[in-house]
Amino acid sequence: QKEVEQDPGPLSVPEGAIVSLNCTYSNSAFQYFMWYRQYSRKGPELLMYTYSSGNKEDGRFTAQVDKSSKYISLFIRDSQPSDSATYLCAMRSTGGFKTIFGAGTRLFVKA
Amino acid sequence: NAGVTQTPKFQVLKTGQSMTLQCAQDMNHEYMSWYRQDPGMGLRLIHYSVGAGITDQGEVPNGYNVSRSTTEDFPLRLLSAAPSQTSVYFCASSPGTGTSFSNQPQHFGDGTRLSIL
């Protein structure tokens, strides 16, 4: 079993929809949780970064962490065609040097 | 600032050839790492470095060597290329020293696409 599980999709939604992206994990030591966005033929770019449990909001993006369920989510409100990309979840334990990534979910937002 | 710069962007090798993938960052980051990205596998850590002269293995280190002689540069060497090493390689960096690496997200380059025939 992988340490981090992420549905690869693809996920196709109409413009303006609310998008929900999710990851589950098995290592209870993970404390730092990240979401990266990756456009085709580009490197991942950091979207959201949270520590421990709770919610974090940044514009149209909201990240949620539920450590009791070992489940993290990224919500995108009012999705735009420019949001079409692959979204990678990532996590790390306190004092750890290694970041574990999910496989990524491909998102298509149709105009 | 250029951020993290990787060269070359594309490369085709024959089985058994060796080559070096270059990675440079201009942010004075202590932590640097190399990942490979394969379809359905996400990013997997090959090697990482917490500072000049200090390197360690990641999840998939076999067939790769690294060294870190300066803060800015972290080259990845393929010793004898194999078709299984066909992949997209990403270099990343983040600030921090000692045990504070864990709370610093990483900045990525745009990758090197490597094909081995």
Side-chain angles (χ1 to χ4, degrees), chain A residues 81-102:
Chain A
S82 58
D83 295 327
S84 298
T86 296
Y87 290 80
L88 300 154
C89 65
M91 43 202 81
R92 189 188 286 175
S93 58
T94 299
F97 297 115
K98 301 178 184 179
T99 303
I100 308 299
F101 285 83

Side-chain angles (χ1 to χ4, degrees), chain B residues 78-100:
Chain B
L78 278 70
L79 308 172
S80 178
S84 61
Q85 293 177 305
T86 292
S87 188
V88 182
Y89 291 85
F90 288 100
C91 179
S93 73
S94 61
T97 56
T99 58
S100 71

Side-chain angles (χ1 to χ4, degrees), chain A residues 50-93:
Chain A
T50 55
Y51 171 71
S52 195
S53 287
N55 293 1
K56 184 175 182 178
E57 187 173 322
D58 184 2
R60 296 185 295 111
F61 299 91
T62 300
Q64 286 186 352
V65 176
D66 182 350
K67 291 194 69 185
S68 62
S69 301
K70 295 191 180 68
Y71 188 87
I72 68 170
S73 301
L74 177 71
F75 297 96
I76 307 174
R77 291 183 298 279
D78 187 25
S79 56
Q80 303 295 310
S82 58
D83 295 327
S84 298
T86 296
Y87 290 80
L88 300 154
C89 65
M91 43 202 81
R92 189 188 286 175
S93 58

Side-chain angles (χ1 to χ4, degrees), chain A residues 38 41 49 92 95 97 99, chain B residues 31 37 101-103 106 113:
Chain A
Q38 185 177 21
R41 298 190 172 275
Y49 175 62
R92 189 188 286 175
F97 297 115
T99 303
Chain B
Y31 181 88
Q37 186 174 37
F101 290 105
S102 55
N103 61 0
Q106 296 174 78
R113 282 152 186 81

